[in-house]
Amino acid sequence: MTTLSPENSLSARRSASFILVKRKPPIDKTEWESFFDDNGYLAKSRDFICVSILERGLHPFVRTEAWKFLTGYYSWQSSQDERLTVDSKRRKNFEGLCHMYEKIRPLLENMHRNFNETRNNIAYDIQRLYDKDPLGNILINKKKLEKILLLSYVCNTQAEYQHGFHEMVLLFQLMVEHDHEVFWLFQFFLQKTEHSCVINIGVSKNLDMLNRLISFLDPLFAEHLKGKGAGTVQSLFPWFCFYFQSAFKSFDDVWRLWEVLLTGKPCRNFQVLVAYSLLQMVRQQALMESMSGDAILLACNKLIDLDADQLISSSCMVYAELVQKEVPQVLKDFFL
């Protein structure tokens, strides 16, 4: 067991309060530009910026550029000229990958059954996407979306295509203008979040840590989940695969949570604290009604149209509670 720094608890509580009180508006373009000097180098510390993003969020006009720093698309130590060079290289590398893919596609189609199966799965998932706004305007280019998902599948051997990636890439397509930006932001997002949304890499680890966290912070609920509520936690894998998209009422709320995950504030693997906070929303009903695992899962699936700021704030409070205790080493290693 290890006691974490009390300063971490105070900082997390302060952030939780700031998020709800909204003492300052989201970081807008003018303020974002003030973080850099005349040559485009950071004039504020990276830590200051990340805490500000946690507590206040980003204005939509800033999100595109800020996410390039948060994901690692741009280095925090780069100048404006260096970033222009990086963007040019990213574009050329993307075009090179597209060219390579077109050359090997006939081989993939003829020799690899998994490729054809994956391509069919991607096409099926994309076809089901609603691609128009309430006025009937086209929101997304499904052909481009399919191309980026196929290219990602071929190039990223760590993260094979899984149901849910189509909705994640859709959100990047809505955020940025160019295909190479969509592709690279998605790749860097997966890396920055330690592939924690990938079923065969991070999802099982998240579920295991969620179980451990419940056992440590809420033994009574943990006992119920091991007994009558058995199987509930393992069935919550879509939360992590989709990064909680179904819980929110708008894309802005999804982006708000995701950018907090990218800051690494108030801790690593914040997504598990988010899942814990969501479970706490059904805890009282589950215990009072002695709900089965299926009933608890149904109640969890009804958690929709949530406010991102409230969920982030409550998750910060969970972290503040956690760091005040004698934390098992396995949890300390996971969150720090």
Side-chain angles (χ1 to χ4, degrees):
M1 297 281 191
T2 306
T3 303
L4 302 180
S5 168
E7 288 79 10
N8 289 339
S9 177
L10 290 173
S11 176
R13 290 180 186 277
R14 187 198 71 167
S15 293
S17 175
F18 278 21
I19 291 166
L20 291 184
V21 173
K22 294 182 171 63
R23 291 180 57 175
K24 292 184 179 180
I27 299 166
D28 61 17
K29 187 173 180 61
T30 300
E31 185 175 5
W32 176 259
E33 290 175 349
S34 75
F35 294 159
F36 301 84
D37 65 20
D38 292 341
N39 294 316
Y41 288 108
L42 271 186
K44 297 282 188 179
S45 73
R46 174 180 174 180
D47 191 68
F48 170 83
I49 295 172
C50 287
V51 171
S52 296
I53 292 172
L54 165 66
E55 295 178 351
R56 298 165 52 199
L58 294 164
H59 189 280
F61 291 165
V62 174
R63 189 164 279 139
T64 297
E65 183 177 0
W67 274 53
K68 289 182 177 180
F69 287 92
L70 290 172
T71 58
Y73 182 104
Y74 289 150
S75 166
W76 288 95
Q77 285 74 46
S78 62
S79 67
Q80 178 62 30
D81 288 343
E82 289 169 339
R83 291 194 287 276
L84 291 173
T85 300
V86 165
D87 194 66
S88 177
K89 288 182 178 178
R90 300 260 187 251
R91 183 192 300 272
K92 289 177 180 177
N93 288 341
F94 175 74
E95 291 170 351
L97 290 174
C98 291
H99 180 67
M100 175 207 70
Y101 168 71
E102 290 301 327
K103 287 182 68 175
I104 67 172
R105 186 176 65 176
L107 178 64
L108 293 172
E109 291 172 341
N110 293 325
M111 301 292 291
H112 294 272
R113 185 179 65 181
N114 287 347
F115 173 78
N116 291 317
E117 182 179 339
T118 299
R119 183 171 60 180
N120 290 337
N121 289 339
I122 290 173
Y124 177 75
D125 286 342
I126 290 177
Q127 192 59 38
R128 296 174 65 195
L129 283 174
Y130 193 73
D131 60 351
K132 297 179 181 179
D133 66 16
L135 298 177
N137 300 312
I138 299 295
L139 287 174
I140 58 172
N141 186 317
K142 289 187 175 182
K143 286 292 184 183
K144 288 185 177 182
L145 185 59
E146 182 177 8
K147 171 186 172 183
I148 290 169
L149 286 166
L150 279 169
L151 190 62
S152 178
Y153 165 69
V154 171
C155 297
N156 189 342
T157 56
Q158 277 192 291
E160 295 186 358
Y161 180 77
Q162 66 185 38
H163 180 65
F165 277 3
H166 65 302
E167 294 190 7
M168 293 180 72
V169 175
L170 163 65
L171 288 175
F172 287 105
Q173 193 179 67
L174 291 173
M175 184 193 302
V176 296
E177 182 179 358
H178 302 293
D179 290 352
H180 74 279
E181 295 174 308
V182 177
F183 175 80
W184 288 118
L185 279 175
F186 179 54
Q187 305 308 314
F188 283 118
F189 179 84
L190 293 176
Q191 291 178 24
K192 188 70 174 181
T193 56
E194 302 180 53
H195 290 88
S196 64
C197 65
V198 180
I199 290 176
N200 61 357
I201 301 179
V203 172
S204 59
K205 180 73 170 178
N206 287 331
L207 294 170
D208 176 51
M209 289 298 154
L210 178 57
N211 260 321
R212 291 174 183 268
L213 186 64
I214 298 167
S215 296
F216 180 65
L217 291 180
D218 194 348
L220 179 62
F221 194 28
E223 281 301 311
H224 181 78
L225 293 174
K226 290 175 183 176
K228 193 168 183 180
T232 299
V233 173
Q234 293 304 311
S235 298
L236 293 174
F237 66 90
W239 277 356
F240 297 112
C241 291
F242 288 82
Y243 266 137
F244 311 102
Q245 290 181 61
S246 63
F248 295 115
K249 57 188 176 185
S250 71
F251 289 151
D252 280 327
D253 284 289
V254 178
W255 285 319
R256 172 75 176 106
L257 174 64
W258 287 9
E259 64 202 16
V260 168
L261 299 179
L262 289 170
T263 66
K265 302 292 181 183
C267 62
R268 288 176 57 235
N269 294 306
F270 190 63
Q271 70 277 354
V272 173
L273 299 176
V274 172
Y276 179 88
S277 296
L278 288 170
L279 265 177
Q280 288 294 299
M281 294 180 186
V282 304
R283 175 191 186 275
Q284 184 175 2
Q285 181 186 5
L287 293 177
M288 288 184 63
E289 299 178 12
S290 189
M291 294 168 69
S292 67
D294 287 343
I296 296 173
L297 187 61
L298 182 61
C300 287
N301 290 336
K302 290 180 179 178
L303 295 174
I304 58 174
D305 294 340
L306 301 181
D307 179 85
D309 279 338
Q310 291 182 354
L311 183 57
I312 294 166
S313 178
S314 62
S315 301
C316 284
M317 291 301 293
V318 174
Y319 180 66
E321 177 187 357
L322 178 67
V323 298
Q324 287 184 312
K325 298 178 179 292
E326 293 285 328
V327 182
Q329 189 65 41
V330 65
L331 288 177
K332 180 184 177 186
D333 291 342
F334 185 69
F335 288 115
L336 294 185

